[in-house]
Amino acid sequence: TRSTYRRDASDNAAQYIASQFRRSPRLKVEFETFSGMKNVVAKLPPRPDSTSNRIFILCAHYDTQADRERGWNPLTSEAPGADDNGTGVAAMLEIAHLLSQYDYDHELRFIAFDGKEIGLMGSRYHAKRASQSGENIVAVFNLDMIGFNWRTDLVEVLTDDASVWVSEALRIANSWYDVGLTIRRSRDGSIDNGDHQPFWDEDYRAVTLTESTTPWQDSRGYEANPFYGTSRDTIDKINLRLVRKVPPLALVALDSLASRSFQTTTQGPRVTIDPIPVVHHGNVVW
C-alpha cells in the first residue's frame, strides 16, 4: 500500500518485481532510490556492436492507495490495487521477459515506478535524471489500469501533440497483428495524473495505455469502475481476458519500433510496422 506509510508492503512488492525481472538473466536490474522510495529498473542493453544511444521505455507504477474510500487510513488500511496498477505491472513484467530474449540496436528499459499516487514522484525522479544526463529517450509506453472493462475490449491511449506518432504505432500494430482491441486515442496534453506527464515535462515522447482516462465515470464503450481507488480493487474484479490482450499490443509496437533504425525529427519518426508474414504449410495458410 501507499509507500511512504507502509514501507514494508512497498519493499515486499519491489523485491517481488525485481525477482520477476531476474527471470531474464540478460536484464540488468537495479533499484533507483529517492526520498525513502524506490523504482525498480531493468535494462536490456543494446547489441554489443551497436553505436545507438536511443532508449525505449515500458513502465508501470506499483504503489497503490484507496483514498476514494471513506474512512481509508494509509497507516492501517489496505489498498490491494489489483487493477490500479497490478494489471499494468504484470503486463510489463511479461513483456520484459519476452523481449529480453532478443537483441536490439537500442536499449530497452523496463521500470516499475514507486510514488505515483503521491505526486508521480518515481517517474519525476527518473525523467529528471534522464534529462539532466542527456539521455536520448525516444518513446515511453506507460501501462496504468488495463483490466476492468467488461463492456468492450477497449484501450484508451493518451497522448500529447508531440507523441501522436507513438499512439499511431499502437494503432498500426493493433491492425496489422489483429490484436482485436478497440483503440480510443485521446490527444490531451492537459491530463497530468499519470506517469507520462514527467516525461512530457522533460520534452520526451510518452503515451499512457489505460482502460479509461476517467475510470470513475461512464464513457463510450466503458462502464465506470466502482472499485477504482478502494480496498475492493481485488483480483476477482479483473477481466483477465482483456488483460491478456493489451500486452501483445504494447509488445509488438515496442518491438517493431526498436527493431528499426530511424531518424527522429520534430514531427517524430515515420512509423511503419510490417504485417505478420504468411507461411504456407501444405494446403494450410498460417
Side-chain angles (χ1 to χ4, degrees):
T1 55
R2 190 170 179 174
S3 59
T4 54
Y5 297 104
R6 294 288 291 274
R7 193 67 256 172
D8 56 338
S10 188
D11 284 343
N12 184 57
Q15 292 295 338
Y16 173 79
I17 291 167
S19 72
Q20 293 301 297
F21 277 142
R22 291 188 179 112
R23 291 184 300 160
S24 306
R26 300 180 65 213
L27 290 176
K28 311 303 181 184
V29 183
E30 60 189 42
F31 293 110
E32 188 175 63
T33 58
F34 59 96
S35 304
M37 290 172 274
K38 62 180 67 169
N39 296 330
V40 190
V41 183
K43 299 177 181 178
L44 179 65
R47 68 177 86 245
D49 60 347
S50 173
T51 59
S52 172
N53 67 347
R54 298 184 178 115
I55 300 167
F56 292 84
I57 291 177
L58 180 71
C59 56
H61 77 88
Y62 72 90
D63 64 310
T64 70
Q65 64 178 359
D67 61 335
R68 297 183 71 244
E69 183 171 275
R70 179 177 297 180
W72 183 75
N73 185 332
L75 291 172
T76 59
S77 305
E78 294 184 348
D83 189 28
D84 186 14
N85 186 33
T87 54
V89 172
M92 178 193 63
L93 289 173
E94 194 60 21
I95 293 170
H97 181 61
L98 292 169
L99 293 186
S100 68
Q101 301 172 44
Y102 300 93
D103 291 315
Y104 296 93
D105 287 331
H106 321 295
E107 178 187 314
L108 301 191
R109 187 177 298 176
F110 307 94
I111 311 172
F113 286 126
D114 200 352
K116 183 266 182 182
E117 302 291 8
I118 50 176
L120 311 175
M121 293 186 67
S123 51
R124 289 192 190 283
Y125 181 81
H126 191 90
K128 177 65 71 174
R129 286 191 67 196
S131 179
Q132 292 173 343
S133 301
E135 289 189 336
N136 185 13
I137 297 173
V138 175
V140 178
F141 297 84
N142 179 48
L143 305 176
D144 195 352
M145 295 181 65
I146 58 172
F148 175 73
N149 198 347
W150 293 87
R151 177 175 290 181
T152 61
D153 288 342
L154 170 72
V155 62
E156 188 164 354
V157 180
L158 175 63
T159 177
D160 63 353
D161 291 342
S163 307
V164 167
W165 68 267
V166 186
S167 68
E168 180 67 4
L170 291 162
R171 186 194 66 79
I172 294 171
N174 186 58
S175 176
W176 274 123
Y177 290 88
D178 196 23
V179 177
L181 286 163
T182 298
I183 295 182
R184 179 165 67 207
R185 292 193 287 175
S186 297
R187 190 169 176 172
D188 189 345
S190 68
I191 299 179
D192 58 1
N193 61 347
D195 286 317
H196 56 273
Q197 179 64 44
F199 291 98
W200 289 355
D201 290 344
E202 301 299 334
D203 200 29
Y204 291 126
R205 311 301 169 236
V207 298
T208 286
L209 287 78
T210 184
E211 62 195 45
S212 173
T213 57
T214 55
W216 56 86
Q217 66 183 27
D218 293 346
S219 59
R220 178 170 49 87
Y222 180 78
E223 185 175 346
N225 184 345
F227 313 111
Y228 161 66
T230 75
S231 63
R232 294 174 294 157
D233 182 7
T234 50
I235 187 66
D236 56 298
K237 315 298 194 314
I238 302 301
N239 182 350
L240 294 176
R241 181 182 59 81
L242 176 60
V243 174
R244 292 186 185 101
K245 279 195 168 187
V246 178
L249 174 66
L251 184 149
V252 296
L254 178 56
D255 172 73
S256 296
L257 291 177
S259 296
R260 286 157 175 75
S261 298
F262 52 77
Q263 297 297 322
T264 56
T265 66
T266 55
Q267 290 76 35
R270 181 179 179 182
V271 178
T272 57
I273 297 179
D274 293 339
I276 301 173
V278 176
V279 179
H280 295 272
H281 181 73
N283 295 323
V284 179
V285 179
W286 299 85

